């Protein structure tokens, strides 16, 4: 029993002590339990195996120390470094060194994806300066990598509202709404059809690697003892010296191919050019921790620079071959999927076309049935209408025959009426001429009556004067008057009385003659008037019967009737005058 207890205690002592570690990548967080004696390389390899990364030389585990950051050293125990004492200890798995040409150096998709996420975050956080035009183009590739091909039926306006795609500096530089920015990004996004996620991420990195601040680590330095503030930039190309307010254009550059040696002593760095004729450049950094970081970056970038210019190692060649085969396999798979997708789309389109055609045929059949029913109803209606039309045709034919008989009868009546009207007009013209003659005769007789009346008045005046004269003569002696009257006076008086009688008889004869003629003329006018009235009545009756072919004419009253009426009035006035006489 004692031996068993001792064995258990021995096992407990052999169990290593551990500590908790949390590692954050650009798209995941992982927690590990690490042994106390683990070095930085052990933890780094564990992370790389977990995420399946083989291009380990670009990456490192970074942690924060006070106001700056540091990279976990691979050859030193984790707990012996200045790592935070929190539990769990937090590390960030990030790219420490950047390739010169991403398309040639980044082999694995996981490597491309991690670089894409890190560079994208640096651009959005404005650690890498990017123009607005390039920002929109990069954002379109980021959208293609996340959402795949653009589909207007699925990607409705506002689908990018929750995505951070542009730097705040770019958004504030222009007075544009989020919808306007989304419209610009979508316009480019629609052009990236049939580009896979890894291809879109590679296109993003190919554009980003040409930016001036891509892959550059900046440090504050001073030159010589004048304490002139400068910036030191370390990247895959070499060392660059910048002004504090300009990180885009270096004042001086030292490419790795032109550097013979870099050394530092406490705070002083010395860059010795390969060309001995060139001046040695020295600069100072006040923090020892920063100096060590600068030296690490310089050594790592220089090693990678020299490595790129050598033949690839067996491991890298295998990785590239595998990556090439994997890309070929994925390409074939994508082609197969694209073909299947195309066939499925064609099948769906054919199905939709068949359904559409079926619905169309159903609609056509329904419409044909409705048309057939309508045609049958129309046929019945047309048959009924034909029967009615036939009856109406018979009735109209009968009415047409009657109308033709009426027309013929009315034509005969019209011809007769025209002949009677012509005769009546002839009689009226004859009566008019007769009336004109009578008027002329009456005027002539009137003049003769005036002359006779004048002669009669003169005779009466002469008789009155003679009587007056006779009285004047007979006043002195009555016997003389009596004698004179017995002698010659009686003769004169007898003469005058005979003339007067003769004249009166002649006037009376003329008056009787004109009265007879006037009576005869009045009888003719009355007869003519009655004939005209009878013709008017007949015309009105005929106009009512013959309304379809002719219209009613007003009764014809010749202008000569008016004249005859006036002349008859004059004649009657003359007759009245003769009656007075």
């Amino acid at each position: 029993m004692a031996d068993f207890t001792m064995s258990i205690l021995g096992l407990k002592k052999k169990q290593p002590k551990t500590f908790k570690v949390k590692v954050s990548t650009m798209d995941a967080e992982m927690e590990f339990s690490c042994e106390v004696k683990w070095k930085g390389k052990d933890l780094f390899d564990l992370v790389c195996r977990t995420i399946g990364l083989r291009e380990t030389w670009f990456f490192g585990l970074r942690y924060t120390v006070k106001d700056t950051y540091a990279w976990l050293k691979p050859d030193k125990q984790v707990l012996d470094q200045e790592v935070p004492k929190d539990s769990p200890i937090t590390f960030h798995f990030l790219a420490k060194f950047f390739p010169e040409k991403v398309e040639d150096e980044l082999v694995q998709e996981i490597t491309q994806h991690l670089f894409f996420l890190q560079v994208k975050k640096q651009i959005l956080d404005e650690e890498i300066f990017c123009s607005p035009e390039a920002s929109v183009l990069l954002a379109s590739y980021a959208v293609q990598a996340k959402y795949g091909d653009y589909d207007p039926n699925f990607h409705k306006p506002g689908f990018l509202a929750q995505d951070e795609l542009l730097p705040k500096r770019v958004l504030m530089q222009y007075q544009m709404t989020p919808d306007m920015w989304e419209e610009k990004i979508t316009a480019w996004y629609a052009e990236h059809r049939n580009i896979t996620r890894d291809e879109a991420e590679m296109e993003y990195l190919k554009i980003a690697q040409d930016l001036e601040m891509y892959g550059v680590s900046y440090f504050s330095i001073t030159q010589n003892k004048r304490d002139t503030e400068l910036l030191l930039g370390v990247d895959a190309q070499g060392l660059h010296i910048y002004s504090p307010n300009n990180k885009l254009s270096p004042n001086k550059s030292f490419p790795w191919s032109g550097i013979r040696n870099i050394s530092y002593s406490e705070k002083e760095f010395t860059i010795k050019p390969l060309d001995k004729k060139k001046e040695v450049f020295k600069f100072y950094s006040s923090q020892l921790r920063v100096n060590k970081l600068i030296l690490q970056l310089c050594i790592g970038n220089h090693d990678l620079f020299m490595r790129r210019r050598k033949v690839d190692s067996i491991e890298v060649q295998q990785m590239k071959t595998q990556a090439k085969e994997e890309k070929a396999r994925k390409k074939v798979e994508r082609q197969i999927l694209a073909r299947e997708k195309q066939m499925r789309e064609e099948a769906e389109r054919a199905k939709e076309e068949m359904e559409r055609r079926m619905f169309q045929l159903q609609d056509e059949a329904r419409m044909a049935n409705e048309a057939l029913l309508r045609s049958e109803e129309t046929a019945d209606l047309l048959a009924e209408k034909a029967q009615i039309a036939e009856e109406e045709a018979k009735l109209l034919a009968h009415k047409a025959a009657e109308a033709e008989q009426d027309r013929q009868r009315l034509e005969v009546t019209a011809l007769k009426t025209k002949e009677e009207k012509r005769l009546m007009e002839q009689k009226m013209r004859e009566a008019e001429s007769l009336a004109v003659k009578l008027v002329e005769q009456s005027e002539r007789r009137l003049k003769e009556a005036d002359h006779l009346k004048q002669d009669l008045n003169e005779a009466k005046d002469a008789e009155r004067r003679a009587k007056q004269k006779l009285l004047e003569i007979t006043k002195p002696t009555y016997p003389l008057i009596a004698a004179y009257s017995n002698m010659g006076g009686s003769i004169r008086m007898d003469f005058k009385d005979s003339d007067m009688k003769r004249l009166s008889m002649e006037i009376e004869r003329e008056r009787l003659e004109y009265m007879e003629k006037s009576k005869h003329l009045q009888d003719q006018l009355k007869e003519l008037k009655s004939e005209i009235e009878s013709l008017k009545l007949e015309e009105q009756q005929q106009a009512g019967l013959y309304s379809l072919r002719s219209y009613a004419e007003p009764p014809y009253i010749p202008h000569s009737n008016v004249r005859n009426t006036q002349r008859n009035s004059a004649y009657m006035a003359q007759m009245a005058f003769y009656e007075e006489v």
Side-chain angles (χ1 to χ4, degrees):
M1 185 65 180
D3 294 338
F4 180 73
T5 304
M6 291 298 293
S7 62
I8 293 175
L9 292 174
L11 290 174
K12 288 183 179 180
K13 290 180 180 180
K14 290 180 181 180
Q15 289 180 352
K17 294 182 179 180
T18 59
F19 59 94
K20 298 294 183 180
V21 173
K22 183 173 73 173
V23 179
S24 298
T25 64
M26 294 303 301
D27 58 352
E29 287 186 356
M30 299 170 288
E31 290 190 3
F32 301 99
S33 180
C34 303
E35 296 180 8
V36 175
K37 62 179 181 178
W38 274 14
K39 295 181 180 181
K41 185 177 182 303
D42 298 327
L43 177 59
F44 180 76
D45 291 341
L46 178 60
V47 175
C48 291
R49 288 194 304 270
T50 303
I51 64 177
L53 180 68
R54 296 180 64 184
E55 296 174 274
T56 59
W57 47 86
F58 292 112
F59 298 90
L61 291 172
R62 196 177 77 176
Y63 58 93
T64 303
V65 181
K66 296 181 180 179
D67 296 335
T68 184
Y69 63 89
W71 295 93
L72 188 66
K73 296 177 182 179
D75 54 352
K76 192 175 181 180
Q77 289 187 0
V78 176
L79 296 179
D80 291 343
Q81 302 182 45
E82 296 180 339
V83 297
K85 303 305 179 182
D86 300 333
S87 182
I89 304 172
T90 302
F91 295 96
H92 296 279
F93 187 83
L94 298 172
K96 186 177 181 180
F97 307 105
F98 288 79
E100 293 182 29
K101 294 183 179 180
V102 292
E103 190 174 12
D104 296 337
E105 298 183 45
L106 301 182
V107 180
Q108 287 185 289
E109 289 186 12
I110 182 62
T111 309
Q112 297 177 13
H113 183 61
L114 292 174
F115 266 98
F116 163 74
L117 294 177
Q118 184 171 338
V119 172
K120 176 186 173 184
K121 186 175 186 305
Q122 289 177 336
I123 291 175
L124 294 177
D125 293 343
E126 300 183 15
E127 295 177 9
I128 298 177
F129 175 81
C130 185
S131 64
E133 295 80 7
S135 299
V136 173
L137 181 58
L138 291 174
S140 67
Y141 280 111
V143 173
Q144 177 70 21
K146 181 176 180 179
Y147 294 101
D149 290 342
Y150 173 70
D151 186 359
N153 297 323
F154 180 74
H155 300 107
K156 301 294 184 180
F159 76 104
L160 298 178
Q162 303 301 323
D163 294 327
E164 185 181 3
L165 299 171
L166 297 172
K168 293 181 180 180
R169 174 184 51 80
V170 175
L171 296 175
M172 298 297 294
Q173 187 174 352
Y174 299 94
Q175 295 180 352
M176 295 177 62
T177 62
D179 294 338
M180 298 170 67
W181 284 114
E182 180 179 319
E183 183 178 356
K184 284 186 171 292
I185 294 173
T186 305
W188 283 102
Y189 167 45
E191 300 293 330
H192 305 327
R193 184 173 293 277
N194 298 326
I195 296 179
T196 60
R197 191 196 76 170
D198 56 320
E199 291 174 346
E201 291 177 351
M202 180 56 68
E203 293 296 327
Y204 188 101
L205 292 175
K206 286 165 64 175
I207 296 172
Q209 72 179 356
D210 295 331
L211 301 176
E212 288 80 358
M213 298 177 66
Y214 166 80
V216 181
S217 299
Y218 294 93
F219 302 94
S220 297
I221 62 173
T222 58
Q223 187 176 7
N224 299 329
K225 296 181 180 180
R226 292 177 295 177
D227 294 332
T228 303
E229 293 184 359
L230 296 173
L231 288 176
L232 173 67
V234 184
D235 64 2
Q237 302 292 334
L239 299 177
H240 311 281
I241 308 300
Y242 299 88
S243 299
N245 56 356
N246 185 5
K247 294 183 178 182
L248 301 178
S249 301
N251 299 332
K252 185 180 294 187
S253 294
F254 301 95
W256 298 121
S257 60
I259 297 176
R260 183 179 59 180
N261 185 22
I262 299 175
S263 62
Y264 88 99
S265 174
E266 293 184 355
K267 298 181 180 181
E268 183 182 48
F269 275 84
T270 302
I271 301 175
K272 295 180 180 181
L274 191 61
D275 188 359
K276 295 182 179 181
K277 294 181 180 180
K278 292 184 178 181
E279 183 182 0
V280 175
F281 184 80
K282 294 183 179 181
F283 61 89
Y284 296 87
S285 178
S286 60
Q287 297 182 13
L288 181 61
R289 188 180 298 107
V290 175
N291 294 340
K292 292 180 180 180
L293 179 58
I294 293 173
L295 187 61
Q296 286 180 10
L297 292 176
C298 289
I299 293 172
N301 278 297
H302 184 265
D303 290 344
L304 288 176
F305 177 80
M306 298 304 293
R307 181 177 177 174
R308 294 185 193 104
R309 279 139 185 89
K310 295 179 183 180
V311 180
D312 292 335
S313 62
I314 300 299
E315 181 184 5
V316 174
Q317 291 179 9
Q318 290 177 351
M319 289 171 55
K320 287 185 177 181
T321 302
Q322 292 176 0
K324 187 175 181 180
E325 293 175 354
E326 184 70 16
K327 286 183 179 180
R329 183 182 62 79
K330 288 186 176 180
K331 184 177 180 180
V332 172
E333 290 179 355
R334 286 198 300 269
Q335 290 177 352
I336 294 173
L337 289 174
R339 188 162 55 250
E340 291 178 354
K341 181 180 179 182
Q342 182 180 1
M343 293 175 62
R344 184 170 62 253
E345 290 177 352
E346 290 178 355
E348 290 178 356
R349 285 196 296 269
K351 180 181 177 182
E352 292 176 356
E353 179 65 22
M354 292 179 64
E355 290 178 353
R356 186 187 63 80
R357 182 61 181 165
M358 183 181 67
F359 290 146
Q360 183 179 359
L361 291 175
Q362 290 177 354
D363 292 338
E364 290 178 356
R366 179 179 54 79
M367 293 174 64
N369 290 329
E370 293 177 356
L372 179 61
L373 293 175
R374 287 196 300 271
S375 63
E376 291 176 354
E377 294 175 357
T378 305
D380 296 339
L381 183 61
L382 289 176
E384 185 178 355
K385 287 185 176 180
Q387 184 178 0
I388 295 173
E390 185 177 359
E391 295 176 357
E392 290 179 352
K394 292 180 180 179
L395 181 60
L396 289 175
H398 180 68
K399 289 184 178 181
E402 292 180 353
E404 182 64 21
Q405 293 177 1
D406 294 340
R407 183 186 65 78
Q408 293 176 359
R409 185 172 62 255
L410 289 173
E411 286 181 354
V412 174
T413 306
L415 292 175
K416 182 178 179 181
T417 304
K418 288 181 179 179
E419 183 64 22
E420 291 177 352
K421 187 183 293 184
R422 186 183 62 78
L423 294 175
M424 185 61 62
E425 290 177 354
Q426 183 177 359
K427 289 181 180 181
M428 290 178 68
R429 284 194 297 270
E430 291 176 356
E432 181 180 358
S433 61
L434 179 60
V436 170
K437 290 180 181 180
L438 291 174
V439 168
E440 290 177 355
Q441 290 179 1
S442 64
E443 289 177 354
R444 187 171 62 253
R445 295 299 183 182
L446 181 61
K447 289 180 181 179
E448 292 178 356
D450 290 338
H451 288 301
L452 291 174
K453 186 177 180 181
Q454 185 176 0
D455 293 341
L456 180 60
N457 291 331
E458 289 178 356
K460 286 181 178 181
D461 291 339
E463 182 181 0
R464 187 174 56 255
R465 285 193 304 269
K467 287 180 178 182
Q468 184 69 29
K469 192 174 181 180
L470 181 60
L471 290 174
E472 290 177 356
I473 293 171
T474 56
K475 269 184 180 183
T477 55
Y478 176 77
L480 287 176
I481 296 171
Y484 179 75
S485 60
N486 290 326
M487 291 177 63
S490 59
I491 297 171
R492 186 170 180 84
M493 289 295 294
D494 293 336
F495 175 75
K496 293 293 181 181
D497 291 335
S498 62
D499 289 337
M500 289 297 295
K501 289 178 180 180
R502 182 179 55 80
L503 182 59
S504 299
M505 290 176 65
E506 187 176 355
I507 291 171
E508 183 67 18
R509 183 178 58 81
E510 291 290 336
R511 186 177 68 82
L512 295 174
E513 184 179 353
Y514 278 105
M515 287 179 64
E516 291 178 358
K517 289 182 178 181
S518 177
K519 183 178 180 182
H520 179 68
L521 182 59
Q522 288 179 359
D523 293 338
Q524 288 182 350
L525 289 174
K526 288 180 180 180
E527 182 180 358
L528 182 61
K529 185 176 180 181
S530 62
E531 290 179 359
I532 290 171
E533 293 294 332
S534 63
L535 286 175
K536 286 182 181 179
L537 182 61
E538 289 180 1
E539 285 180 356
Q540 290 177 358
Q541 293 176 354
Q542 291 173 2
L545 293 175
Y546 195 59
S547 59
L548 294 176
R549 295 180 54 88
S550 63
Y551 58 91
E553 297 181 355
Y556 176 73
I557 301 176
H559 182 66
S560 59
N561 291 345
V562 179
R563 295 174 57 191
N564 292 336
T565 305
Q566 293 175 354
R567 290 173 182 174
N568 292 336
S569 300
Y571 178 76
M572 294 301 292
Q574 291 177 7
M575 293 299 102
F577 171 75
Y578 284 125
E579 288 176 358
E580 289 178 0
V581 177

